[in-house]
Amino acid sequence: MIEFILRRTGAAVITLFLASIAVFLGVRALPGDPATVLAGESPTPQVVAAIRKQFGLDQPLPVQYLHYMGQALQGNLGSSTQDKAPVTQVLGERLPVTLELTFLAILVGVLVGVLAGIVSAVRRGTALDYAANGFGLFGLSVPHFWLGLLGIVVFSVHWHILPASGFVGLADDPVGNLERMVMPVLVLGLGLAAVVMRQTRSSLLSQLGADYVRTARSKGLSRGQQIRHALRNSLTTVTTVVGLQLAGLISGAVITEQIFVIPGFGKLIVDGVSSRNYPVIQGAVLVTVAGYVVINLLVDVAYAYLDPRLRMAGGSQ
Amino acid sequence: MNETAVDETGLAAGQAAGAEAAALGTGWRRSLHRLLGRRMAVIGAVMVVVFLGVALIGPYVAGSSTRLGLTDILAGPSGAHWLGTDDLGRDVVARICNGARVSLLAGVVSSALAMAVGVPVGLAAGYFRGWTDSVLMRINDVVLSFPYLIFAVGMAAILGPSLHNVIIALAVAEVPSVIRVVRGETLVLRQQDFVQAAVADGTRDLAIMWRSILPNMTNTLIVKATVAVPAGILGEAALSFLGLGVQPPQASWGVMLTSAQQFLAQDPLLAVFPGVAIALTTLGFNLLGDGLRDVLDPREL
């Protein structure tokens, strides 16, 4: 197990290293010279050159990269070009918002998806199964940003029961916060619920048909006990699917934040691109990618813990 | 003695090839027959055909999608405009038809690009294993760790917003999963006797991959495509909605939703039609894909 964890961690570190180079080069490829942006309106060439020197922009790219990463590892991601605030501070303000949104969406998605998947597999061929399948197909096919728009029309414009947009901190006003989070969370969670439901259903059905369940049945175990056995084995694949869905969820969060005007990471990145706030984009993308890699590492380790076959076979992976 | 042996093997090989071709023929026919027996899959196929018809023929029939109508602004459905007009008096039907064409283009081209890159890379990783596999998979992990939307935002910032860049971003987003599936299939097929025999025979690696491995994952690739195309359609709509793709006045379902967003209170129908179009199209592909998956039964996906 320890060997497996070390090997997966090694792979994750390499992924992060390569990803950080990609982000660094990507941000350098953005149009516009950051030094010119920093120098403000109508800068003289001398000022631009001075800023270039001050921020090390006159150094070769590899040196700039090493400098940036050295600082980043010490918790310094530079400062925002807009208000000169440290990027880490900007990210620190926005991160809890996106974390709350995605965490609640995952919670809703997994709870609804797993429950619907179990019901649909156990009651296969019944009306409940058809309903759950219909829900799965619906959630998979409907663009969630469109549902968000319809939600605003129905619940905010017509019925006035939920606010259309905006955000208040969870600590400042818990009720107001949750009120504003209901629609974004449901919109974002629905797609995940659909994927999780379909995965739970298919893996539970295949487990219920497996030999060990037949043996359990012949030993006289109740239906509930059989399902419990099969469920444990099917949930391992569901865990992986949730991990893989995370990147999609982050993309979904970007759009959801735009529709409901939520000041999270996604909005920060989109706004950062239009205002050419490169240090902020770089920091935000780096943190997002790192979060994705680390969570998937944790998912893999959890998976290996739940399914010993995987860590044994890990060498050939 | 030698000659007869050669003849015999030649004959045997010929017979085997013939039998294989026949089996392939009946296999396809049987699959199609089984697919037609599934009501939901047939409904899905019909929806996909309707979408293709609208995308290919619609724009010619429905007229200009950008012609302004100064007298009919935000008009409801009528005889002249079946689904009404938008905030600039443009016919919604015409814009939906044009949007269908954009969606088709985005879905098909991004999937094709993803396959063009993902299939060879997945084949190489699964076939050669070892270092090739490790290096390719690490790169794959890196691509996978970028949420496609952030990538698309970056592309739009560097190269400017356009349908081209959206398609490239969507293709890049799709590549890792194609590689994953193809690699998995290749790893399994690599162990099969007929591949081992070809290796022992001294057949060149490329020839083995092309002739022995690739044809055996056709089913998987077909099913993968029915998943990738609607993903591309949804992705294009999302990116155009954010203003990163097709630019107004050109119509795309995402662009239509962006402009409808400003008139949610006055004319909510404007936001309904493009969304229904997206949902029905992806639903059609998903129903067809589910049917194909059951019938063709690929190992993964």
Side-chain angles (χ1 to χ4, degrees):
Chain A
M1 186 71 191
I2 288 173
E3 197 207 330
F4 174 83
I5 294 177
L6 285 178
R7 201 169 45 227
R8 274 300 284 115
T9 312
V13 169
I14 296 173
T15 306
L16 266 181
F17 170 67
L18 294 176
S20 69
I21 294 180
V23 173
F24 183 81
L25 291 179
V27 170
R28 288 297 171 281
L30 290 173
D33 178 2
T36 321
V37 176
L38 278 171
E41 283 169 42
S42 57
T44 60
Q46 286 84 358
V47 173
V48 174
I51 289 175
R52 205 177 283 280
K53 198 160 173 56
Q54 184 194 340
F55 286 91
L57 295 169
D58 53 347
Q59 305 275 334
L61 274 181
V63 176
Q64 286 188 40
Y65 170 78
L66 287 177
H67 179 75
Y68 179 79
M69 284 315 288
Q71 290 291 317
L73 290 175
Q74 293 168 43
N76 177 16
L77 291 168
S79 49
S80 162
T81 50
Q82 262 177 329
D83 50 7
K84 306 285 181 287
V87 171
T88 39
Q89 186 193 324
V90 178
L91 298 183
E93 285 163 11
R94 303 294 194 103
L95 188 59
V97 180
T98 299
L99 279 184
E100 185 192 350
L101 176 64
T102 39
F103 174 76
L104 290 176
I106 291 175
L107 198 69
V108 168
V110 171
L111 275 181
V112 174
V114 168
L115 281 179
I118 293 174
V119 169
S120 140
V122 172
R123 301 252 178 270
R124 188 182 189 180
T126 64
L128 275 175
D129 183 21
Y130 288 121
N133 269 314
F135 165 77
L137 274 169
F138 175 80
L140 214 59
S141 310
V142 170
H144 54 246
F145 60 94
W146 178 57
L147 275 188
L149 289 183
L150 292 189
I152 292 177
V153 170
V154 175
F155 296 108
S156 307
V157 177
H158 281 283
W159 291 351
H160 303 289
I161 48 176
L162 287 171
S165 61
F167 180 82
V168 287
L170 185 61
D172 303 331
D173 176 7
V175 178
N177 171 280
L178 291 178
E179 230 175 35
R180 283 170 177 78
M181 276 294 185
V182 171
M183 274 204 281
V185 164
L186 288 182
V187 162
L188 191 56
L190 177 77
L192 182 67
V195 177
V196 170
M197 176 264 149
R198 285 162 64 96
Q199 182 66 41
T200 308
R201 179 179 189 272
S202 73
S203 58
L204 186 55
L205 277 179
S206 73
Q207 292 293 335
L208 282 173
D211 286 344
Y212 72 92
V213 175
R214 201 177 51 194
T215 310
R217 189 161 53 237
S218 65
K219 271 170 58 187
L221 256 64
S222 72
R223 179 82 172 139
Q225 282 168 315
Q226 291 167 34
I227 291 169
R228 222 169 305 142
H229 278 302
L231 194 60
R232 190 190 143 97
N233 286 323
S234 25
L235 286 186
T236 48
T237 52
V238 175
T239 320
T240 318
V241 166
V242 174
L244 288 173
Q245 285 294 312
L246 203 69
L249 211 63
I250 294 171
S251 294
V254 175
I255 306 182
T256 313
E257 286 173 9
Q258 289 287 325
I259 296 174
F260 294 100
V261 201
I262 299 171
F265 248 52
K267 203 155 181 340
L268 185 68
I269 293 172
V270 175
D271 293 349
V273 169
S274 49
S275 63
R276 303 205 169 155
N277 201 339
Y278 297 156
V280 166
I281 307 171
Q282 192 166 345
V285 174
L286 208 57
V287 170
T288 310
V289 171
Y292 175 81
V293 171
V294 169
I295 291 177
N296 268 291
L297 172 65
L298 295 178
V299 167
D300 274 5
V301 172
Y303 195 129
Y305 176 75
L306 290 171
D307 188 349
R309 279 173 306 179
L310 205 90
R311 54 176 187 263
M312 298 307 169
S316 63
Q317 288 269 309
Chain B
M1 183 77 182
N2 245 345
E3 254 180 57
T4 47
V6 168
D7 272 346
E8 268 170 17
T9 44
L11 192 67
Q15 277 173 339
E20 211 171 86
L24 201 66
T26 54
W28 275 104
R29 218 165 297 151
R30 201 182 320 127
S31 297
L32 187 65
H33 192 73
R34 283 173 57 199
L35 190 69
L36 290 176
R38 286 164 191 270
R39 198 162 11 118
M40 295 320 269
V42 173
I43 294 175
V46 170
M47 289 162 82
V48 169
V49 170
V50 169
F51 162 69
L52 291 178
V54 170
L56 296 175
I57 306 166
Y60 299 114
V61 182
S64 166
S65 62
T66 51
R67 189 175 51 224
L68 306 177
L70 296 172
T71 48
D72 295 327
I73 286 174
L74 294 175
S78 67
H81 303 286
W82 290 0
L83 299 179
T85 59
D86 70 359
D87 54 306
L88 297 173
R90 295 171 296 198
D91 183 43
V92 172
V93 173
R95 291 183 73 73
I96 293 264
C97 290
N98 202 64
R101 181 167 286 191
V102 171
S103 293
L104 177 68
L105 200 68
V108 170
V109 177
S110 69
S111 309
L113 280 177
M115 294 272 183
V117 176
V119 170
V121 173
L123 271 173
Y127 184 84
F128 293 112
R129 290 174 291 192
W131 269 103
T132 318
D133 187 29
S134 297
V135 170
L136 290 174
M137 284 302 113
R138 279 298 78 74
I139 297 173
N140 204 33
D141 282 349
V142 174
V143 179
L144 201 62
S145 64
F146 282 87
Y148 85 95
L149 217 125
I150 289 178
F151 185 78
V153 169
M155 286 241 346
I158 297 170
L159 302 170
S162 74
L163 183 59
H164 279 139
N165 295 336
V166 161
I167 289 177
I168 293 172
L170 292 172
V172 171
E174 190 62 37
V175 164
S177 74
V178 176
I179 293 180
R180 214 176 251 259
V181 169
V182 172
R183 172 181 175 268
E185 284 280 284
T186 310
L187 280 174
V188 175
L189 288 167
R190 181 82 165 79
Q191 303 301 323
Q192 304 283 314
D193 287 342
F194 65 94
V195 175
Q196 294 293 332
V199 173
D201 211 25
T203 314
R204 282 186 311 133
D205 293 330
L206 267 180
I208 297 176
M209 283 188 253
W210 180 251
R211 271 190 250 134
S212 305
I213 296 181
L214 194 56
N216 280 296
M217 56 171 85
T218 323
N219 287 356
T220 310
L221 292 180
I222 291 173
V223 175
K224 181 70 197 151
T226 58
V227 182
V229 171
I233 291 176
L234 278 177
E236 186 276 327
L239 294 175
S240 291
F241 177 73
L242 287 179
L244 304 174
V246 173
Q247 294 298 305
Q250 289 306 315
S252 123
W253 293 341
V255 169
M256 292 175 74
L257 283 174
T258 314
S259 60
Q261 195 179 12
Q262 298 155 23
F263 304 97
L264 284 182
Q266 294 113 295
D267 192 357
L269 272 184
L270 216 49
V272 170
F273 297 127
V276 170
I278 303 171
L280 286 180
T281 305
T282 28
L283 182 64
F285 274 101
N286 284 330
L287 287 173
L288 179 63
D290 279 0
L292 283 172
R293 187 187 320 232
D294 290 344
V295 170
L296 301 175
D297 188 35
R299 267 179 290 272
E300 303 216 0
L301 291 161

